[in-house]
Amino acid sequence: HLIDIIAIKNNTTIAVDVKTKARFNKFNAQGINFNHYEKYKEYMIKNNHNVYVFFIDDKIGDIHYLDLKNEPKGIVFKEKNYPFTLIKRWNLDDLIFVKNINSKEIINNLSNYDERNYDFTPQMVFKFN
């Protein structure tokens, strides 16, 4: 499915999709499949709904969101693994920070659903409270 939540308030409709995934290992960034990105943009234009993509980091616990109507500059790149997939990514500093979950138990529970086929080994150090 493309959208997780449709919300309406005061005749304004927004669409929200939630991605539970850790940030990239080599970049302080989050990203999505480029085909999904194009579908979000198409949906936004066709339906005149603002689209927000929330990224819940299932390793660190940070929650950021992307406002596609006011989208920051991103980068499109090709994944290394075959079959090659185009990915669009945005620096975390350019996304809107919501909060940190700040609970190892919740983060560990989220990580149980991780479909990543490689280890999470970011080139940055993170500290939990």
Side-chain angles (χ1 to χ4, degrees):
H1 62 276
L2 181 65
I3 301 295
D4 291 323
I5 301 165
I6 301 289
I8 303 169
K9 183 175 183 180
N10 299 332
N11 294 326
T12 300
T13 303
I14 65 167
V16 176
D17 198 29
V18 179
K19 302 289 187 190
T20 304
K21 58 197 282 304
R23 65 190 71 203
F24 289 94
N25 279 335
K26 294 185 179 181
F27 311 102
N28 189 33
Q30 276 284 15
I32 55 177
N33 178 297
F34 189 72
N35 290 335
H36 295 174
Y37 167 78
E38 288 184 318
K39 287 179 182 178
Y40 291 138
K41 295 294 266 190
E42 180 183 326
Y43 173 90
M44 185 171 65
I45 292 165
K46 182 179 177 182
N47 296 290
N48 196 30
H49 298 165
N50 291 352
V51 175
Y52 299 90
V53 180
F54 280 76
F55 297 98
I56 301 175
D57 190 316
D58 67 349
K59 303 295 185 215
I60 306 303
D62 285 352
I63 301 172
H64 291 84
Y65 76 88
L66 168 67
D67 174 355
L68 280 174
K69 185 176 180 183
N70 301 300
E71 175 188 356
K73 183 178 178 185
I75 297 169
V76 177
F77 70 99
K78 191 184 291 188
E79 255 185 339
K80 291 186 206 176
N81 301 329
Y82 183 82
F84 300 112
T85 303
L86 286 178
I87 303 290
K88 181 143 188 189
R89 78 169 191 252
W90 298 267
N91 289 330
L92 289 177
D93 292 341
D94 295 332
L95 299 179
I96 300 161
F97 177 77
V98 177
K99 68 178 287 179
N100 181 279
I101 294 170
N102 206 18
S103 164
K104 283 188 179 184
E105 181 181 355
I106 292 172
I107 293 168
N108 288 339
N109 286 337
L110 287 172
S111 288
N112 289 331
Y113 300 100
D114 187 356
E115 295 178 359
R116 185 184 289 239
N117 59 4
Y118 55 91
D119 289 337
F120 179 66
T121 55
Q123 297 180 3
M124 304 171 68
V125 177
F126 302 97
K127 295 180 181 176
F128 293 98
N129 292 339

